């Protein structure tokens, strides 16, 4: 009789432990609010916050450049010449080529 009771207790304990283990596994990996999803979401949030800060910084730089271009015609002319190859009506373009580029 005692052996049956002990066996029954051990079986019950095993079943409870298995249920607890399976519940933990389910909550950690498969639940809507699983541990893995929370970690991934936090990592994504951190990455997006960093990206947002970079975009804001770039936006500020572009705003400053925009203001400078609106106020300074010489800056517009410099950019047109250097980046787009524009020149005046009576100007000729002169380019210097490094000897290393010729070879």
């Amino acid at each position: 009789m005692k052996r049956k009771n002990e066996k029954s207790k051990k079986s019950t304990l095993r079943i409870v432990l298995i249920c607890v283990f399976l519940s933990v596994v389910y909550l950690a990996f498969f639940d809507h609010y699983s541990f893995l999803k929370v970690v991934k979401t936090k990592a994504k949030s951190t990455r997006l916050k960093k990206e947002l800060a970079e975009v804001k910084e770039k936006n500020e730089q572009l705003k400053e450049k925009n203001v400078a271009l609106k106020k300074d015609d010489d800056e517009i002319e410099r950019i047109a010449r250097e980046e787009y190859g524009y020149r005046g009506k009576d100007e000729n373009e002169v380019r210097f080529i490094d000897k290393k580029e010729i070879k």
Side-chain angles (χ1 to χ4, degrees), residues 85-99:
Y86 286 91
R87 59 180 185 243
K89 291 180 183 178
D90 55 345
E91 293 178 341
N92 293 321
E93 185 177 348
V94 178
R95 294 184 187 188
F96 296 96
I97 301 173
D98 193 9
K99 288 182 181 180

Side-chain angles (χ1 to χ4, degrees), residues 61-100:
Q61 291 172 356
L62 290 173
K63 282 181 183 179
E64 290 171 7
K65 188 174 182 178
N66 188 21
V67 169
L69 288 174
K70 286 181 180 179
K71 292 181 179 179
D72 191 4
D73 290 337
D74 292 335
E75 181 67 11
I76 294 172
E77 185 178 342
R78 182 191 67 77
I79 291 172
R81 289 174 183 277
E82 290 177 5
E83 294 183 18
Y84 299 104
Y86 286 91
R87 59 180 185 243
K89 291 180 183 178
D90 55 345
E91 293 178 341
N92 293 321
E93 185 177 348
V94 178
R95 294 184 187 188
F96 296 96
I97 301 173
D98 193 9
K99 288 182 181 180
K100 294 176 185 175

Side-chain angles (χ1 to χ4, degrees), residues 13-34:
L13 182 61
R14 283 183 187 157
I15 291 173
V16 168
L17 287 175
I18 289 172
C19 289
V20 168
F21 175 75
L22 292 175
S23 297
V24 168
V25 169
Y26 174 77
L27 292 173
F29 297 104
F30 302 108
D31 186 41
H32 180 68
Y33 298 104
S34 72

